[in-house]
Amino acid sequence: MPDHEPEPHQHGAHGRVPTRSERWDAFKQSPFLPAIVLVFILAAAAGLFAGSYTFSMAKPTPHHIPTAVVDARDKGDSARGKAFLDGMEKALNASLEVHRYDNREAARLDVEEQKVFAILDVARGGDKVTLDVSGASGASVAQVLAETAPKVGEKVGVPVAVQDIKPLQEGDPRGLAIFYISLAAVIIGFVGAIQLSVHARGLNPAERIGFTALYALLGAFVISAVVDWWLGAVDLPFVESWLILALTMFASGMVFTMFNTLFGRWAMIPTWGLMVLLGNPSSGGAVSWPLLPSVLGHIGRWLPPGASVNAQHTAVYFGGHQHAFPFLVLGGWALLSSAVFWVWRHRHPGGRASAPAHAVAPAG
């Protein structure tokens, strides 16, 4: 016989079955809870990511396209122009937002100011209508107008001549390069901030802001150099484009840093939602704002991706007509994020403790 009887099966640290509360506390302290939460978050993010881009880009629909009309009410041919306009309104589901001008020069100036996307000239003797589209204002809008106008003209018996008065650059025939470089700045901006939190966790607040600005400046320079100097895809106004991308990257990095301060390890969720799920599809880069769902078209202008696309687009194609608004948006997000991080910097998971003062040894 064995010297000792086998001991009964022990439960818990002290030979008892753990209570439900104790098991739950142990589960909360384990890595399994955040892992399970992440599984569901990532599944939801995948669906939302696909859904947000599909919703905004899969079937662009005209919504209030600002269009200049050079009117001819005193030239005897307004009936032809009215018939054509009515036909366009019907074909585009009443989406033309008509701005009337007395001459083409005033209308062309507002194309440069990006107040209108096309010019309908019905003041040329009544024999035809001329539609001037601006591919640089929005390739998708120009395509919709250029495809619709001849069909409408054929129905109402008015010849239509279509011309692109502001074409896209040869290396960017679909007008997507600006969207891609802005997207790169946004994503690398917050990914860089994530990497600083992982690999340079000991940075103090001022150092973290400084290194965010440093990688933003260098990263934006490389993006501009690759797209312009190396690939030759877009002829950029280099310094202006570089600084727009740098401000975009810095704002994006500081947005993550702000959320990391407020929400800790879950900061990626609001950052991804704001910058990628909402910001990029509504930026107007892949699909122009007049073709986006109206809510997205308005929201996008106030978010960093949309502001970046707006500023970059004007710099590349409408030099001399730059607007302050997109810079105020980018600067506002950068300032707000930096201020929140600085005020609540004690909550940020990074940083390092100050070196303790050395004790003075007693004399003797």
Side-chain angles (χ1 to χ4, degrees), residues 65-70 96-101 107 110 115-116 118:
I65 302 174
T67 305
V69 174
V70 181
L96 288 185
E97 184 181 296
V98 173
H99 299 251
R100 297 191 179 276
Y101 296 81
D110 274 2
K115 295 179 180 178
V116 295

Side-chain angles (χ1 to χ4, degrees), residues 51-213:
S52 64
Y53 279 77
T54 302
F55 175 67
S56 61
M57 300 179 186
K59 190 178 179 181
T61 304
H63 296 278
H64 306 293
I65 302 174
T67 305
V69 174
V70 181
D71 212 341
R73 283 169 283 185
D74 59 345
K75 295 189 178 183
D77 57 353
S78 58
R80 281 177 173 266
K82 186 176 185 305
F84 180 78
L85 275 176
D86 290 344
M88 288 290 287
E89 284 281 313
K90 184 176 180 180
L92 297 173
N93 297 317
S95 62
L96 288 185
E97 184 181 296
V98 173
H99 299 251
R100 297 191 179 276
Y101 296 81
D102 293 329
N103 57 75
R104 288 176 55 81
E105 289 72 22
R108 180 63 186 264
L109 178 61
D110 274 2
V111 170
E112 295 289 334
E113 289 286 341
Q114 300 179 77
K115 295 179 180 178
V116 295
F117 282 73
I119 303 172
L120 277 170
D121 191 346
V122 296
R124 295 187 174 183
D127 55 341
K128 68 176 181 180
V129 169
T130 300
L131 173 65
D132 295 338
V133 298
S134 173
S137 299
S140 48
V141 172
Q143 181 180 354
V144 167
L145 292 174
E147 290 175 352
T148 304
K151 298 175 183 177
V152 172
E154 186 177 346
K155 286 183 180 179
V156 300
V158 178
V160 179
V162 180
Q163 60 181 357
D164 191 342
I165 59 173
K166 196 78 173 178
L168 291 162
Q169 294 186 21
E170 185 177 347
D172 184 29
R174 303 299 300 169
L176 294 175
I178 289 173
F179 173 65
Y180 292 143
I181 64 175
S182 300
L183 178 64
V186 167
I187 292 180
I188 298 301
F190 67 73
V191 168
I194 293 171
Q195 293 305 305
L196 283 182
S197 294
V198 173
H199 300 289
R201 188 181 183 88
L203 290 175
N204 282 333
E207 297 165 344
R208 188 172 299 275
I209 293 173
F211 275 95
T212 303

